[in-house]
Amino acid sequence: KPPLTNNIPWSKLIYFTIALLIFFTSAGFVSFDLLSVKSGVDIQKVDDPLSSTVPNGRMLVILLDSTRKDSMFSDNMPFISNLRNKGAWGISKVNSTPLSIAGDHAIFSGVVSGPFSFLDDFSGKPSAYDNLFKRVTLQNKRAIIFSSHCLRGAYGKYTDFSAFVPKNFLFSQYREDAKYLFDQTYDFLKQKEWDLAAVQFITMDFIGHLETPHSPDYIPELKLLDNYVRQLVELTTDEDIVLITSEHGMDDNGFHVDRTEFVIETPFILTGPGINKGGPKEVLQIDWAPTLSLLAGVSPFYASPALPAIDLLSLPPEYSSGLIRTFSKRITGNSNISSLDELRKIRLTKMGRKSSPALCI
């Protein structure tokens, strides 16, 4: 056949296409051991139960998708930034592909998702992964998801699905989307009974992709979200747990396809009883699943390399050491490791050996 434009012959295009197929297929097989998880409920427990150390209150998780650390910890979001004084705060590192649904799976299922997880954003199929919502619901507690996007599609079936009716908005209607979500969430949390509520604002993702973080509309939207978050947090009590974080960040050009600082270093603030104040701390994003499970009084064990962020929690020493030994056995095959930092280093090494180029695309 005749050559293509720019003097690229058909043969080279075919070779390039074949090479891409081989790469993605190989990457998928190499990554399979790391990316796969069991779907069954893992109800293993340590010998010493949490008992009175489990908070008696509720849990509110607020996800500000694509919100960068230099935004959340700045004067542009004054309420959230000042909230650091009330709890633990720092960086939650994205070790999955930096996508919204991958972040949701990491936070609520402890799953490391690969590059093909973006297909889940559009499938609308419920997640088969074991997750925090499912475990809380099995304890006869009321879990709610306020989201018009991937979080509801993935985990809605494990919650009170009728509590929130989503409404579709265009990307350009990010203000209307945020207001609708806030109004519905605020009214419900104020008037109804609930135990676990997850709220997903996609606002900064929409405006970031459309206009980039340098848009003159960007900072006003940060301030608007900060005000919404303030009003939601003010509905909680001193007995409640509050986590504010992001599934991923965004670069200056309005993308989150690389693994640069403002994409994979997502901010977090964790407040409530039993939380050690201070920061900056650093955790892996997948570690939120077991950490939140501990705080909710359900099993923290997931079929993944996720570890609870014990250093953020005020737990009895004997219970902390028991957790570390148990997770040491699960991750390394022996229970001889007594240091959380040492276990984290070993975990990263093992994850590094199992990873593949697919996780960096």
Side-chain angles (χ1 to χ4, degrees), residues 172-226:
S172 58
Q173 296 176 302
Y174 47 78
R175 293 185 184 90
E176 293 87 343
D177 178 85
K179 185 179 187 309
Y180 178 81
L181 179 64
F182 167 74
D183 288 342
Q184 299 294 309
T185 305
Y186 184 88
D187 290 343
F188 185 94
L189 297 185
K190 185 177 181 179
Q191 301 174 19
K192 306 294 184 179
E193 298 291 329
W194 54 278
D195 297 293
L196 167 63
V199 189
Q200 183 185 48
F201 286 97
I202 209 81
T203 313
M204 304 318 298
D205 190 71
F206 281 12
I207 188 175
H209 286 312
L210 284 175
E211 305 178 27
T212 81
H214 295 291
S215 163
D217 297 323
Y218 196 80
I219 291 179
E221 289 307 304
L222 290 174
K223 294 182 180 295
L224 178 67
L225 273 189
D226 186 69

Side-chain angles (χ1 to χ4, degrees), residues 43-329:
I43 57 172
Q44 297 186 54
K45 298 180 180 179
V46 293
D47 295 334
D48 185 15
L50 277 174
S51 61
S52 61
T53 63
V54 176
N56 297 318
R58 304 162 298 182
M59 181 178 294
L60 175 62
V61 180
I62 302 177
L63 303 176
L64 305 179
D65 194 38
S66 291
T67 304
R68 299 165 26 148
K69 63 181 182 180
D70 62 341
S71 296
M72 191 178 292
F73 300 152
S74 74
D75 293 338
N76 295 323
M77 306 190 88
F79 173 79
I80 297 177
S81 184
N82 291 331
L83 197 62
R84 288 180 291 176
N85 297 323
K86 296 187 62 176
W89 64 277
I91 297 301
S92 172
K93 296 199 71 172
V94 176
N95 51 309
S96 300
T97 304
L99 298 169
S100 298
I101 189 62
D104 295 335
H105 289 328
I107 293 167
F108 297 107
S109 295
V111 172
V112 181
S113 301
F116 302 111
S117 63
F118 79 93
L119 297 173
D120 294 336
D121 279 351
F122 309 102
S123 69
K125 295 181 180 179
S127 171
Y129 299 135
D130 187 16
N131 60 85
L132 175 66
F133 300 108
K134 183 177 182 179
R135 296 186 178 191
V136 167
T137 301
L138 288 174
Q139 296 293 324
N140 296 317
K141 295 182 178 180
R142 192 178 194 185
I144 309 292
I145 290 177
F146 301 93
S147 167
S148 301
H149 304 281
C150 47
L151 181 63
R152 176 182 167 89
Y155 296 109
K157 79 169 189 177
Y158 303 107
T159 68
D160 185 345
F161 204 69
S162 64
F164 173 72
V165 179
K167 183 178 179 180
N168 292 325
F169 291 90
L170 301 175
F171 262 48
S172 58
Q173 296 176 302
Y174 47 78
R175 293 185 184 90
E176 293 87 343
D177 178 85
K179 185 179 187 309
Y180 178 81
L181 179 64
F182 167 74
D183 288 342
Q184 299 294 309
T185 305
Y186 184 88
D187 290 343
F188 185 94
L189 297 185
K190 185 177 181 179
Q191 301 174 19
K192 306 294 184 179
E193 298 291 329
W194 54 278
D195 297 293
L196 167 63
V199 189
Q200 183 185 48
F201 286 97
I202 209 81
T203 313
M204 304 318 298
D205 190 71
F206 281 12
I207 188 175
H209 286 312
L210 284 175
E211 305 178 27
T212 81
H214 295 291
S215 163
D217 297 323
Y218 196 80
I219 291 179
E221 289 307 304
L222 290 174
K223 294 182 180 295
L224 178 67
L225 273 189
D226 186 69
N227 183 47
Y228 286 163
V229 170
R230 175 187 61 79
Q231 294 181 68
L232 294 179
V233 172
E234 287 177 351
L235 294 177
T236 64
T237 71
D238 292 338
E239 295 297 316
D240 297 331
I241 297 292
V242 176
L243 171 66
I244 305 172
T245 188
S246 174
E247 289 94 333
H248 58 78
M250 184 165 286
D251 64 25
D252 289 339
N253 298 312
F255 297 100
H256 48 85
V257 296
D258 53 29
R259 302 192 66 81
T260 53
E261 175 187 358
F262 288 115
V263 171
I264 67 169
E265 293 187 3
T266 61
F268 81 85
I269 298 174
L270 181 67
T271 67
I275 306 300
N276 293 326
K277 296 180 180 180
K281 302 288 187 178
E282 184 174 300
V283 300
L284 288 189
Q285 191 176 58
I286 59 172
D287 292 344
W288 287 123
T291 303
L292 295 177
S293 294
L294 279 176
L295 292 170
V298 298
S299 171
F301 301 105
Y302 290 83
S304 77
L307 283 170
I310 300 174
D311 51 338
L312 304 184
L313 311 180
S314 179
L315 298 173
E318 63 276 8
Y319 185 73
S320 296
S321 59
L323 277 173
I324 294 173
R325 287 195 301 271
T326 304
F327 276 95
S328 172
K329 177 69 174 179

Side-chain angles (χ1 to χ4, degrees), residues 23-37 97 112-116 351 353-361:
F23 170 77
F24 277 105
T25 303
S26 302
F29 280 113
V30 173
S31 301
F32 181 79
D33 187 37
L34 176 61
L35 302 180
S36 62
V37 298
T97 304
V112 181
S113 301
F116 302 111
M351 290 175 66
R353 290 172 182 170
K354 291 182 179 180
S355 66
S356 79
L359 288 176
C360 299
I361 296 176

